[in-house]
Amino acid sequence: MKYLPPLFACLLAFFAARYLRNIQDPSRPPSVTAGVQTVLGKRSEPRGLARQAERLASRDFSSVALLDRFHRSGSLSEDDLQNAIREAAGQDPEGTWQWIEENYPFQEKRRYLQIVAEVWFSSNPDATLARISTVDFFERSELAGAIMGKLTQGKPEDRAAVAKHLDQIVTCLGNNFTHAHLPEPSQAGVDLLMSLPEGRSRDILLQQLASTWLVRDFSAASAWLSQAPEPLRTTAMEKFATNSLRNAFQATPESKNAAIAWLTDEAPTSIKKKLGTSLATAIAETDPKAAMEWAGNNLSSRQLAEATKGIVTQMVQSDLPAARGMVEELPPGSAKNLAAASIVGHWLKTEPDAAVRWWLANAGKDQLKDNNFFGSASDIGNAWIQANPESFRSFLASPDSPDLPPATVSTAVNRLMQDREGTFNWIATLPTARRGPILETAYTRWALDSPAEAAAAFDSRPELATGDGAQRIAYFWYRKDPVAAAGWISNLPWGGLRESAISGLRKMADYQTKSGGTVPEEVRQLIR
């Protein structure tokens, strides 16, 4: 310890000498510590956006080549890149546009092309719109919508350019107003659009804005529309009614009631029929009988069938017995079939056996005359397997169960074939009279996925081997490996099953020949 005081004294003297020397000789560079203190004491560097602007100002993006060089260096942040694209577009918009097309995929390039379009439009609207018209519909409508935004956010000269080129901009928008950047739906927004040149393009924008305004403030918007000329008023009301009845995200209870009132009391017959299903379903929320009466008086054919289905679907959520009673009173036909199917789709979840038996008793009696029946029957087969597959199996296993429509059976069996072995074991328990169409569907499904495995199952289960099954296996196997299919058939015993398999092979070979293909010799030997 006795050496420590002298050591500390020496260190203190050393640093004191250095400090005094720096003071006496100002030409010497300051120490690191002193330099830092000086910077901190005098710092006036810009920060945040100001610093970013100063940094970008030191770089030259006035050409696409320079933009590309900096981009490839990886030194540009996203904000830097967007500002650089804006600067390059000011000098060479076409070149900047092409550079973006070549360097970015669809999802990324959209926001960059929007920057170019906005800059380019300010200097050359005609060239900008000509370029926008060359891209696909969705991208075109987005870019046109961004330009439309200049009506509310641009400079006076930009607003004048929008007015001058309104027809071209609206044409590019098409029917997609999601990104149209229209004014706020209000009296002020309408007034702004009314300042545009009169014509069809202005009316299209007014119809769109007014329909949105009606949802937000029906009283004010309808007051303005009452003074608007036709067809502007009717078209705006139609758009409003469509959004209120079909788009739950845009509708309010008030707007829905207003839409119902206009459609029932004022709308032209053509619009009533066009929105008939949606209107009937909306009325059914509070008065199903009134909805059914309105549909019967105003709709017919397919529209009446769809409306009836919508009414019953609304009813079944709260009063299943009443919905069944309403369907039972309907005359036979498409409307009854569709409505009955909608009830079964809901009822299957709790009482599948009773639901299906009721459906068979009340619908589908004119199956061959009703094109809707196949789709409904298929939907029920799918819903049945989703709700209770064991109930479906039990239904078909019972000799007392009525026959199901083929579309119901085939759809359900296709779903069950996710468990192939289990499904074949179940089929073996069914009454023989019911196996045929079920096995045809099962073998078709299996052969589509793996014909070799389907053939092996066919060979190992002689009690389930059918002519239709042999034909389907051969048909689909030929499409994947005709020689292998022929080899399997050649090992089948002579008789009906072999002949059925050969007929499936012949059918595909004939098709291939007509299409200009070549039939393998192994197949020719079997089908000649």
Side-chain angles (χ1 to χ4, degrees):
M1 295 293 292
K2 64 182 180 179
Y3 299 107
L4 289 178
L7 179 60
F8 283 134
C10 291
L11 289 173
L12 182 61
F14 172 77
F15 283 110
R18 292 195 60 180
Y19 176 74
L20 291 173
R21 184 172 54 182
N22 285 336
I23 293 177
Q24 294 169 355
D25 186 3
S27 65
R28 292 182 58 84
S31 66
V32 174
T33 303
V36 170
Q37 290 173 342
T38 301
V39 170
L40 290 177
K42 299 180 179 180
R43 181 171 186 171
S44 60
E45 292 182 3
R47 300 189 182 193
L49 294 176
R51 182 178 183 182
Q52 177 178 306
E54 184 178 281
R55 178 161 48 87
L56 287 175
S58 66
R59 298 178 178 181
D60 182 5
F61 299 111
S62 58
S63 72
V64 176
L66 292 170
L67 170 63
D68 185 66
R69 188 182 72 186
F70 279 110
H71 170 66
R72 294 183 185 281
S73 72
S75 63
L76 295 178
S77 68
E78 177 61 25
D79 288 341
D80 291 345
L81 178 60
Q82 292 190 23
N83 287 326
I85 288 173
R86 187 173 288 106
E87 183 177 338
Q91 300 297 321
D92 182 7
E94 177 62 45
T96 308
W97 185 297
Q98 189 61 37
W99 179 81
I100 293 170
E101 290 276 13
E102 293 172 355
N103 284 278
Y104 291 96
F106 175 73
Q107 291 297 332
E108 292 184 37
K109 74 178 181 180
R110 286 158 54 191
R111 61 179 177 271
Y112 301 141
L113 290 180
Q114 182 173 320
I115 294 172
V116 177
E118 291 174 349
V119 172
W120 198 356
F121 185 82
S122 295
S123 61
N124 193 334
D126 290 310
T128 308
L129 292 169
R131 190 67 175 86
I132 288 175
S133 67
T134 64
V135 300
D136 64 67
F137 167 75
F138 185 79
E139 193 175 344
R140 182 166 67 247
S141 63
E142 270 197 341
L143 294 170
I147 289 175
M148 182 60 70
K150 288 180 175 290
L151 193 63
T152 56
Q153 300 174 358
K155 300 175 183 178
E157 54 269 28
D158 287 337
R159 292 196 291 272
V162 169
K164 181 179 178 181
H165 297 83
L166 188 64
D167 290 342
Q168 292 171 269
I169 297 172
V170 172
T171 298
C172 289
L173 278 172
N175 293 321
N176 183 11
F177 290 90
T178 305
H179 305 284
H181 299 285
L182 293 176
E184 278 295 305
S186 63
Q187 184 64 57
V190 167
D191 290 343
L192 179 57
L193 292 184
M194 288 294 291
S195 68
L196 295 173
E198 184 177 348
R200 181 174 178 274
S201 295
R202 187 186 74 171
D203 286 351
I204 290 173
L205 299 180
L206 283 169
Q207 291 161 10
Q208 185 65 31
L209 190 69
S211 65
T212 306
W213 188 18
L214 285 163
V215 174
R216 295 194 183 183
D217 188 348
F218 182 82
S219 178
S222 60
W224 177 81
L225 273 176
S226 65
Q227 306 300 319
E230 292 292 358
L232 172 58
R233 181 177 186 278
T234 297
T235 305
M237 288 300 297
E238 181 186 352
K239 287 180 178 293
F240 158 71
T242 302
N243 289 335
S244 296
L245 298 184
R246 293 181 176 176
N247 192 332
F249 295 103
Q250 294 188 16
T252 64
E254 294 76 13
S255 69
K256 182 176 287 189
N257 290 335
I260 292 173
W262 179 76
L263 284 169
T264 54
D265 298 338
E266 300 180 46
T269 302
S270 60
I271 296 178
K272 288 182 180 180
K273 290 183 176 180
K274 184 178 178 181
L275 298 178
T277 299
S278 300
L279 175 59
T281 303
I283 296 173
E285 292 179 10
T286 55
D287 193 341
K289 290 185 178 180
M292 190 67 78
E293 181 179 355
W294 183 90
N297 292 335
N298 292 275
L299 305 175
S300 61
S301 190
R302 175 74 181 184
Q303 293 171 324
L304 177 59
E306 291 288 351
T308 303
K309 177 184 176 182
I311 294 168
V312 171
T313 301
Q314 190 68 249
M315 288 182 66
V316 79
Q317 307 294 328
S318 57
D319 194 342
L320 176 59
R324 290 200 305 263
M326 179 176 285
V327 171
E328 290 166 1
E329 294 176 1
L330 294 174
S334 183
K336 185 169 187 174
N337 291 343
L338 283 175
S342 69
I343 287 179
V344 175
H346 179 82
W347 196 2
L348 275 169
K349 300 172 185 177
T350 54
E351 297 178 285
D353 190 274
V356 171
R357 290 178 185 274
W358 176 86
W359 173 57
L360 294 173
N362 286 277
K365 295 179 180 178
D366 298 319
Q367 299 176 25
L368 298 179
K369 299 179 182 179
D370 182 12
N371 294 329
N372 294 319
F373 185 80
F374 177 86
S376 298
S378 179
D379 290 342
I380 287 173
N382 187 52
W384 199 348
I385 295 303
Q386 285 184 323
N388 195 328
E390 191 54 43
S391 167
F392 174 79
R393 296 189 185 97
S394 299
F395 189 96
L396 287 183
S398 172
D400 299 329
S401 297
D403 290 335
L404 294 170
T408 302
V409 175
S410 62
T411 299
V413 171
N414 268 310
R415 292 289 303 271
L416 291 176
M417 279 300 290
Q418 294 177 14
D419 176 12
R420 297 165 181 167
E421 293 293 340
T423 299
F424 269 71
N425 290 337
W426 163 68
I427 294 173
T429 68
L430 298 178
T432 304
R434 282 203 170 134
R435 292 182 186 177
I438 296 175
L439 280 169
E440 181 179 1
T441 298
Y443 277 123
T444 298
R445 179 72 266 164
W446 205 338
L448 278 167
D449 296 336
S450 178
E453 290 183 10
F458 184 93
D459 295 338
S460 66
R461 304 291 293 263
E463 78 280 10
L464 298 180
T466 65
D468 287 336
Q471 184 186 58
R472 305 310 287 170
I473 292 172
Y475 180 87
F476 288 109
W477 203 349
Y478 185 100
R479 294 163 61 176
K480 293 185 176 181
D481 190 343
V483 175
W488 172 67
I489 295 173
S490 65
N491 290 321
L492 291 175
W494 292 95
L497 294 180
R498 181 186 176 102
E499 290 302 318
S500 294
I502 290 174
S503 71
L505 206 65
R506 182 180 292 111
K507 188 174 182 180
M508 272 304 300
D510 290 345
Y511 174 79
Q512 189 170 30
T513 300
K514 292 177 182 178
S515 301
T518 302
V519 178
E521 183 60 30
E522 294 86 346
V523 175
R524 291 182 178 277
Q525 293 294 326
L526 284 172
I527 65 176
R528 63 183 178 181

